[in-house]
Amino acid sequence: QVQLVESGGGVVQPGRSLRLSCTAYGFTFSNYGMHWVRQAPGKGLEWVALIWYDGSRKYYGDSVKGRFTISRDDSKNTLYLQMNTLRAEDTAIYYCAGSYYDYYEYWGQGTLVTVSS
Amino acid sequence: EIVLTQSPGTLSLSPGESATLSCRASQSVSSAYLAWYRQIPGQAPRLLIYGASSRAADIPDRFSGSGSGTDFTLTISRLEPEDFAVYYCQQYGTSPYNFGQGTKLEIK
């Protein structure tokens, strides 16, 4: 059964860092491009970052560029999002999503990040 | 950057009716790279349509997608209770892989 399980969310103060993880089950993780998508409370979906299936390319949304870093460890079937210099506007549910042909076939259930003093 | 604008913002219909949702792009999107997702409150989004008109696995034929260039449409026939949710279009051909702002389909 295909599953993506996010972890690492929580409450963090502005300016601090947090690392999210997303572990994949039930499909060949190393064949899939992986994305992070976030959703602020009561708002729509915002694409955050993409890492290619082989890790050779990474892309970021303008709102997180220079602060967030996406990475993957295929030996652990795990995707990461290192979030630095967090801001209140980064408060959101963070979803990981898997894509073989670029559209998002698989989604995790999300992990909530709250940036607040 | 391709900006996607969805309309209407909210659509009020009754079960059994048909829904037509629109997604307009600020510049041409290759039809190979336009997707639709449904998000039920409290759940993650789910892929409905990819490549503008291809149904994802296990999606019933009540859902159909069409369009090309800058104008795309999602049509849902014979609305069922689980269809009352928020729908997002997304272009996944060019970074940033933007989503539309969503259309909320609510029960009339």
Side-chain angles (χ1 to χ4, degrees):
Chain A
Q1 179 186 357
V2 171
Q3 222 179 347
L4 289 170
V5 180
E6 299 97 337
S7 60
V11 180
V12 61
Q13 292 180 328
R16 303 298 291 266
S17 299
L18 202 62
R19 188 178 82 157
L20 305 182
S21 301
C22 166
T23 303
Y25 303 92
F27 66 98
T28 307
F29 180 74
S30 58
N31 288 348
Y32 279 69
M34 296 299 297
H35 302 249
W36 287 99
V37 175
R38 69 184 182 183
Q39 187 169 37
K43 302 298 184 182
L45 302 173
E46 179 187 11
W47 173 76
V48 173
L50 156 67
I51 185 168
W52 277 25
Y53 71 100
D54 60 358
S56 62
R57 294 196 180 189
K58 303 175 184 181
Y59 300 89
Y60 298 92
D62 285 345
S63 61
V64 307
K65 203 172 296 182
R67 299 188 299 124
F68 291 11
T69 302
I70 190 171
S71 62
R72 64 190 298 157
D73 184 342
D74 289 353
S75 70
K76 298 180 179 178
N77 285 352
T78 300
L79 172 74
Y80 301 101
L81 185 68
Q82 177 67 43
M83 305 186 294
N84 297 333
T85 319
L86 282 161
R87 305 166 180 167
E89 54 266 35
D90 295 319
T91 295
I93 296 172
Y94 284 74
Y95 297 100
C96 62
S99 63
Y100 187 86
Y101 290 114
D102 297 326
Y103 48 84
Y104 302 177
E105 295 174 65
Y106 306 136
W107 292 75
Q109 284 305 302
T111 187
L112 177 62
V113 173
T114 302
V115 183
S116 174
S117 54
Chain B
E1 175 177 343
I2 298 176
V3 176
L4 300 178
T5 302
Q6 293 185 238
S7 61
T10 302
L11 186 56
S12 299
L13 293 169
S14 300
E17 293 188 302
S18 294
T20 301
L21 286 65
S22 175
C23 176
R24 178 163 290 178
S26 60
Q27 56 188 280
S28 184
V29 176
S30 165
S31 62
Y33 300 110
L34 194 286
W36 290 92
Y37 302 87
R38 176 179 69 184
Q39 187 177 33
I40 295 169
Q43 296 186 18
R46 180 181 181 182
L47 177 68
L48 300 173
I49 300 288
Y50 63 90
S53 60
S54 297
R55 274 187 303 276
D58 300 324
I59 300 302
D61 60 7
R62 301 186 296 103
F63 292 85
S64 63
S66 64
S68 64
T70 60
D71 290 296
F72 299 88
T73 300
L74 174 69
T75 302
I76 313 169
S77 59
R78 305 183 303 280
L79 286 168
E80 297 188 2
E82 64 269 23
D83 297 334
F84 293 93
V86 180
Y87 292 81
Y88 295 95
C89 60
Q90 185 209 18
Q91 70 83 19
Y92 52 91
T94 306
S95 177
Y97 305 104
N98 289 334
F99 292 87
Q101 83 280 18
T103 289
K104 181 180 180 181
L105 180 54
E106 64 177 22
I107 298 177
K108 187 174 182 180

